[in-house]
Amino acid sequence: EIRDLCIEVVSLVCKDVRSEPIMGPSDQAYDGDRGEFSCRGFWESGVTAFFDNRIVNADAPSYVAKGQTWKQTADNAANEKKKHYTDMAEAVKGSFTPLVCSVDGALQRDFEMFLKRLGVLLANKWGKHKGEVMYWLRKKVQFAIIRAVNLRVRGTRKDIGGKLFHDDGAGMRYMPNGCAKTSKINE
């Protein structure tokens, strides 16, 4: 969800946007490592920027047991990504930015900087105020995070085979005059 949203919005202002690009020269040990997406000209003109997302549950017992704050947890996750991907990106004269957020919608500092830069680029392109664009952008990201972590909003992964109703009737709207009682849901 988050990757697809980022690709969609970044493609409005950048060139050569790619999903899951192979990072690093193909003749080296980096072959096969992939980022979430890349684009040319995001941070610097002509330079390819690579990005990778990570959603962290900061309330997970493993983080709570360590007594970590959200900032520590997010920075650790971002540093892990940087440790893995930065050399690969630099080998092809690019940059790397981790996009770390929590399941609650809190954004790590690098993700915030990404959104601010994206907001400036969009505001300049659309001729709108930066604050207005940032508000819109933050809402889009928040809903992408909700869809990514919440099955009830995202829907089921199970193929319902074109049925009009779900087997448990959860997708059925209010039906007046008691017609729900007479309809056969499991046909």
Side-chain angles (χ1 to χ4, degrees):
E1 291 287 335
I2 297 170
R3 179 200 67 200
D4 293 344
L5 171 68
C6 289
I7 288 171
E8 179 183 341
V9 179
V10 166
S11 65
L12 296 172
V13 292
C14 291
K15 306 262 187 231
D16 196 23
V17 179
R18 296 181 184 199
S19 177
E20 298 186 9
I22 295 177
M23 296 178 66
S26 59
D27 61 337
Q28 294 183 10
Y30 306 127
D31 190 29
D33 283 332
R34 295 178 179 270
E36 292 282 345
F37 67 99
S38 68
C39 62
R40 196 166 28 92
F42 187 81
W43 297 114
E44 295 178 62
S45 180
V47 176
T48 300
F50 294 92
F51 302 91
D52 198 70
N53 298 99
R54 183 168 179 184
I55 300 175
V56 177
N57 181 1
D59 296 327
S62 58
Y63 297 124
V64 173
K66 293 177 185 175
Q68 292 182 336
T69 65
W70 157 246
K71 184 178 179 339
Q72 292 168 327
T73 302
D75 287 345
N76 287 344
N79 289 336
E80 285 176 22
K81 291 278 186 192
K82 287 177 183 178
K83 188 175 177 182
H84 184 77
Y85 289 111
T86 299
D87 290 341
M88 288 183 267
E90 289 175 355
V92 291
K93 302 201 181 351
S95 66
F96 174 73
T97 306
L99 303 177
V100 177
C101 63
S102 75
V103 296
D104 303 321
L107 305 178
Q108 192 265 346
R109 181 179 32 115
D110 292 327
F111 204 151
E112 286 282 349
M113 296 307 296
F114 166 78
L115 284 183
K116 286 179 183 178
R117 175 70 177 154
L118 187 54
V120 166
L121 293 172
L122 287 169
N124 290 341
K125 179 179 181 173
W126 292 339
K128 297 205 178 270
H129 189 270
K130 179 186 165 199
E132 184 180 3
V133 174
M134 285 302 298
Y135 177 80
W136 173 81
L137 195 54
R138 286 183 191 282
K139 294 305 169 206
K140 295 286 277 184
V141 169
Q142 294 297 321
F143 276 104
I145 293 169
I146 290 169
R147 282 191 304 275
V149 300
N150 192 335
L151 181 61
R152 289 173 285 178
V153 174
R154 188 176 60 212
T156 182
R157 292 184 181 193
K158 179 180 161 187
D159 181 22
I160 58 173
K163 293 180 183 178
L164 182 59
F165 300 110
H166 295 285
D167 289 338
D168 62 354
M172 190 168 49
R173 297 181 66 116
Y174 171 74
M175 300 180 80
N177 302 326
C179 7
K181 294 178 185 175
T182 59
S183 64
K184 295 181 180 178
I185 294 173
N186 293 326
E187 289 185 326

